[in-house]
Amino acid sequence: MSENKNSAECKVVCWAAAAFVGFVSMILLYLMADFGILQAIFTGGLIGVVLGLILSLFICRGQTAAADLASDEKPAQRYAKQAAAETEQREGSTVERAGSSGSTDAAPAASTAPATSAAAATGTAAPLMASDVSQSKPAENAADEDKAETSGTAATAQKPEAKKTAAKKTTSDDANAKKEVAKKAAATSGATKAKRAPVAADGQPELYTTPPADGGDDLKLISGVGPKLEQTLNDLGIYRFEQVAGWRKKEIAWVDDRLRFKGRIERDDWMSQAKILAKGGETEFSKRKKK
């Protein structure tokens, strides 16, 4: 232990001396060698670190080697004795703590011994203290607690199975409900397609004879439709996105013939935009238009 302490003290002294030398070097470099402040700090720190390593390696190691040579014992034997002494100290402290705890536990037993011996001598049963009654109650109820724990464990084990069964049932019900909704949607779409009238001979699409009560949709949200073109479409009887979304080739040609700019319907793809807008969605153009 003393050798380790001496070695640590030697290293502290060496590093302190190195730090002092590095600090002095930094000041001299800054004042006399025209070094910048950062260069002086870096160079002084580097000198201190290198000097500290050299001193701690050679001086402190030299002291340890000198101690090994001065001792009659071999270094390995001396280190083994030091380790054995440290182990004995730790074991001694452990025994002392165990002895103090043992004396504390023995005190209640010693206090109850006279009462037990007195009861045995008189042949009468010694009265139970309140602490004895409280200690006996857990022992009496131990069997009941074990039974309760067993039944609780069984119930807990059954709950996951019940949850799995309920989850499977819910999943199957959801799947059936989704199938029914899909069937209804398919039937509705089929009925809608079936009800749609074929294209007229002249290609005229479905038109409003009178404006809708709500005034119709804002057709200007379709890219390529301005205020004048929207008015032209309204005059033809076109007010809804659904009308534009459902145009077929002959119907597109019929409307295109009545517009000033030919080919704009297909060039700007009014039908795709109208389908999105009819479902309540938004296109990039409609987003910019609303802003």
Side-chain angles (χ1 to χ4, degrees):
M1 295 292 291
S2 61
E3 291 179 1
N4 294 334
K5 185 176 180 180
N6 293 333
S7 178
E9 291 177 355
C10 177
K11 289 182 179 179
V12 170
V13 172
C14 290
W15 279 105
F20 178 75
V21 173
F23 180 73
V24 173
S25 301
M26 177 185 67
I27 294 174
L28 294 175
L29 290 172
Y30 179 69
L31 295 177
M32 301 178 64
D34 294 335
F35 272 54
I37 184 66
L38 295 178
Q39 292 178 342
I41 292 173
F42 175 77
T43 307
L46 183 61
I47 292 172
V49 171
V50 173
L51 183 59
L53 291 173
I54 293 172
L55 292 176
S56 61
L57 287 175
F58 289 96
I59 295 177
C60 297
R61 183 176 293 178
Q63 288 183 355
T64 304
D68 292 339
L69 292 174
S71 176
D72 295 335
E73 296 177 347
K74 293 182 179 179
Q77 294 177 352
R78 189 169 67 256
Y79 296 149
K81 286 184 178 181
Q82 292 178 0
E86 293 176 358
T87 305
E88 289 179 358
Q89 290 180 357
R90 288 196 295 270
E91 291 179 353
S93 60
T94 305
V95 171
E96 289 178 359
R97 288 195 296 271
S100 61
S101 61
S103 61
T104 304
D105 296 337
S111 63
T112 56
T116 306
S117 60
T122 56
T124 59
L128 292 175
M129 300 299 290
S131 60
D132 298 334
V133 175
S134 62
Q135 290 177 1
S136 63
K137 285 182 180 179
E140 293 175 356
N141 297 331
D144 296 336
E145 291 179 357
D146 292 339
K147 291 180 180 179
E149 290 179 358
T150 304
S151 60
T153 303
T156 305
Q158 291 176 359
K159 283 182 180 179
E161 296 180 358
K163 289 181 179 179
K164 289 180 180 179
T165 304
K168 290 181 180 179
K169 185 176 180 181
T170 304
T171 304
S172 61
D173 293 341
D174 293 341
N176 294 332
K178 289 180 180 179
K179 288 180 180 179
E180 291 179 0
V181 171
K183 289 181 181 179
K184 289 181 180 179
T188 303
S189 62
T192 303
K193 291 179 180 179
K195 290 180 180 179
R196 187 175 181 184
V199 180
D202 59 352
Q204 178 179 335
E206 296 180 358
L207 303 174
Y208 279 87
T209 56
T210 58
D214 59 357
D217 296 326
D218 186 3
L219 299 180
K220 295 188 295 298
L221 295 177
I222 299 174
S223 176
V225 178
K228 292 183 179 181
L229 192 54
E230 182 185 34
Q231 184 61 45
T232 302
L233 294 174
N234 292 158
D235 293 340
L236 292 174
I238 301 167
Y239 292 89
R240 301 288 187 189
F241 293 131
E242 290 85 352
Q243 293 176 269
V244 180
W247 284 347
R248 288 160 284 190
K249 289 185 178 181
K250 286 186 178 181
E251 295 169 339
I252 293 171
W254 187 89
V255 177
D256 194 43
D257 290 339
R258 287 156 179 79
L259 300 180
R260 182 178 299 177
F261 302 100
K262 305 294 182 180
R264 170 164 287 185
I265 298 174
E266 293 182 329
R267 183 171 61 251
D268 294 332
D269 195 6
W270 289 6
M271 288 71 68
S272 298
Q273 299 181 60
K275 286 179 182 178
I276 297 172
L277 296 171
K279 293 179 181 179
E282 290 184 342
T283 62
E284 294 295 331
F285 178 79
S286 65
K287 290 179 182 178
R288 295 195 300 270
K289 189 74 174 178
K290 290 181 178 179
K291 291 180 180 179

